[in-house]
Amino acid sequence: MQVDAAAVQRIARLARIKVTEEEARALEQELSGILDWVKQLDEVDTSEVEPMTRVIPMTLKERPDVVTDGGIADEIMANAPVREDHFFVVPKVVE
Amino acid sequence: MTDLNKLTLAEARDGLRRGQFSATELTRALLAAIESANTSLNAYVLPTPEIALRQAQASDARLAKGEARPLEGLPLGIKDLYCTKGVRTTACSAILDAFTPTYESTVTQNLWDAGAVMLGKLNNDEFAMGSSNETSCFGPVTNPWRRRGSNVALVPGGSSGGSSSAVAADLCLAATATDTGGSIRQPAAITGTVGIKPTYGRCSRWGIVAFASSLDQAGPITKTVRDAAIMLRHMASVDPKDSTSVDAPVPDYEAVLGQGVQGLKVGVPKEYRMDGMPREIEALWQQGIAWLKAAGATIHDVSLPHTKYALPAYYIVAPAECSSNLARYDGVRYGLRKSGTDLIDGYETTRRAGFGAEVRRRVLIGTYVLSAGYYDAYYLKAQKVRTLIKRDFDEAYRTVDVLLTPTTPGPAFGIGEVGGDPVQMYLNDIFTVTVNMAGLPGISVPAGLSSEGTPLGLQLIGKPFGEETLFRAAQAIEDAAGRFTVPARWWAR
């Protein structure tokens, strides 16, 4: 068992997902089961292996550092759940 | 002319060109088929008949003027992971709510530019996370196939289960899909359809809701190999809006279909012969080997030693990337919003309400493996194993041109039959996930029926950008195996 209830709550906090105590108990089992299963990778000797960074060898594309888009505030705001003019409305964060 | 919806994409294209029917007639036939089937199958989450008929009318005008584009008037279904301008796009997650993009994905734009008609948005597992289409916020999709003598509802595979079900039930001529660990090939295999995941970078990911960015690729699910070749040609492009889009011209895949497999070197990886593999899967594989041999290919044993580590490595890499990609759903800029006692509580409440159980599980796993102190042990380790998996393939391709394997460990299972332990569901992707980990192209072709009378598929895996070879070999299997169509249209009202 790698993940206990406190760890589930800590991870859930990092992931910004509310988890009830009952859900945390179920997740303890599920997450531990998955993590135990993936631990079989420890059988593989990777001491001399580079981590993969891309599947197809290519250099990242570049383009001139100029503005190519913009002036679409209406479009950006179109799906906002709460808005005022061109502003997203969020709860007060600074007292 | 009746039953226009049963035509293949190529047959419909040729019929339209010859003026045997109009794009409007064809589109109406498909809309009627959707209307009568969708209550039973739940393949479409949003039919778009007005758009379809408007596009069909425009296509008829072009056909009349002799200005037909390559896919002129051909009605398609679009997986709900593709952003469609002005048409609700949800990835089948409650967190996207009624999100309506103000832009079009590159792949769908390519299809509309080629003249295709949009029938609607197709169901899928929530954020493409699943192998049975049971995690969609719109409910499960039903496979049009049933076990012989049974009424039990079977899954159409996942995550592109709406696509596979709709193609198998003739509710579209072809469908777009996406594949992160097998989500095109596994549903194709268990619905008797063809599905190809091209090389990573062949199709633009721009405008497709992201799951695991280093693994996600777009591709089609179709009725035949020819149709897959037609679709992929018009989905693929070089796109400056996707930095991983590869700068290589798109070949005319349809042109190579008749070239056969004479002299083609086909590898059979011994590590895919898993313990406890059902005899009918083994028999199907042997049948595939025999077909390719009879068509002139040579068969070679190869070894991919790290195969068994692909799935556990995937279940580190994919959740890690998903936890990062899904961080954007905060209830502020778009999608669902639930209020909380403060900003953080608002995020937590929104994400609890908007994400389903499997998505939450994967975000949590991903958050854990990326968290301080665990990164090296999990994510870095998995990316190193991924290098070894890729190296295995590179080694095999020194001696062979293409690999042949089963697509899935078994036929379609019942809705609700594989529950409880999440790892049991993950094992569905055991033969497909290696391909995503190495960025290679893979195609599933219908090859036979299980003892239950439901479809099974064979998978061909190619070299990077070896799609033409895949289509040639897939055509040889289709020529030998024939097509598999659903025996009874029980779903039509």
Side-chain angles (χ1 to χ4, degrees), chain B residues 350-408:
Chain B
T350 297
R351 288 162 65 81
R352 168 63 185 82
F355 291 145
E358 179 61 20
V359 172
R360 293 201 302 275
R361 187 150 52 224
R362 295 203 198 185
V363 169
L364 292 173
I365 285 281
T367 304
Y368 179 80
V369 301
L370 291 176
S371 63
Y374 295 101
Y375 179 87
D376 286 6
Y378 289 104
Y379 190 74
L380 196 67
K381 179 78 186 183
Q383 289 290 61
K384 287 180 175 177
V385 170
R386 209 172 159 185
T387 299
L388 294 172
I389 292 165
K390 176 81 164 72
R391 213 177 269 174
D392 286 351
F393 280 107
D394 291 345
E395 193 58 38
Y397 287 131
R398 285 168 189 265
T399 51
V400 298
D401 303 311
V402 66
L403 300 168
L404 178 73
T405 77
T407 311
T408 61

Side-chain angles (χ1 to χ4, degrees), chain B residues 89-369:
Chain B
T89 300
T90 67
C92 297
S93 178
I95 207 152
L96 271 154
D97 198 18
F99 178 70
T100 305
T102 54
Y103 48 84
E104 187 78 27
S105 83
T106 297
V107 167
T108 47
Q109 189 63 55
N110 289 344
L111 292 171
W112 314 142
D113 289 347
V117 168
M118 176 163 82
L119 292 166
K121 304 300 288 287
L122 293 164
N123 210 334
N124 51 254
D125 277 298
E126 182 179 5
F127 284 111
M129 295 178 202
S131 305
S132 62
N133 213 120
E134 292 172 288
T135 71
S136 164
C137 75
F138 297 104
V141 177
T142 302
N143 192 329
W145 288 83
R146 285 174 165 177
R147 291 172 183 145
R148 210 176 282 117
S150 160
N151 287 344
V152 170
L154 303 178
V155 304
S159 67
S160 309
S163 306
S164 64
S165 176
V167 172
D170 299 312
L171 308 185
C172 56
L173 297 183
T176 66
T178 61
D179 191 317
T180 303
S183 285
I184 290 175
R185 292 158 288 153
Q186 183 258 9
I190 65 176
T191 57
T193 54
V194 177
I196 181 166
K197 180 204 91 73
T199 311
Y200 185 81
R202 180 66 289 179
C203 288
S204 171
R205 291 180 296 109
W206 195 84
I208 298 174
V209 177
F211 162 15
S213 300
S214 78
L215 302 160
D216 297 344
Q217 256 301 286
I221 290 180
T222 60
K223 299 181 187 184
T224 65
V225 173
R226 178 172 299 274
D227 288 0
I230 296 168
M231 280 289 284
L232 185 59
R233 183 183 182 191
H234 298 290
M235 291 171 72
S237 62
V238 180
D239 186 9
K241 289 191 280 198
D242 175 359
S243 65
T244 61
S245 164
V246 172
D247 205 355
V250 183
D252 180 358
Y253 300 117
E254 200 183 357
V256 304
L257 292 176
Q259 288 180 8
V261 293
Q262 189 65 45
L264 193 74
K265 295 197 275 292
V266 179
V268 177
K270 65 172 191 226
E271 288 79 6
Y272 280 61
R273 191 161 286 114
M274 302 278 179
D275 290 341
M277 182 187 238
R279 274 182 42 205
E280 63 186 15
I281 300 292
E282 173 65 32
L284 184 86
W285 199 4
Q286 291 307 321
Q287 178 65 74
I289 291 169
W291 282 329
L292 289 175
K293 211 188 260 180
T298 58
I299 308 298
H300 308 264
D301 289 327
V302 296
S303 176
L304 303 169
H306 297 91
T307 297
K308 68 176 274 207
Y309 300 110
L311 201 59
Y314 174 86
Y315 274 98
I316 293 172
V317 173
E321 294 184 14
C322 112
S323 74
S324 169
N325 270 325
L326 271 54
R328 74 190 67 186
Y329 301 104
D330 58 5
V332 173
R333 291 160 301 157
Y334 43 78
L336 185 75
R337 173 153 179 177
K338 296 279 183 192
S339 52
T341 51
D342 56 23
L343 185 69
I344 301 284
D345 191 59
Y347 293 152
E348 291 182 346
T349 308
T350 297
R351 288 162 65 81
R352 168 63 185 82
F355 291 145
E358 179 61 20
V359 172
R360 293 201 302 275
R361 187 150 52 224
R362 295 203 198 185
V363 169
L364 292 173
I365 285 281
T367 304
Y368 179 80
V369 301

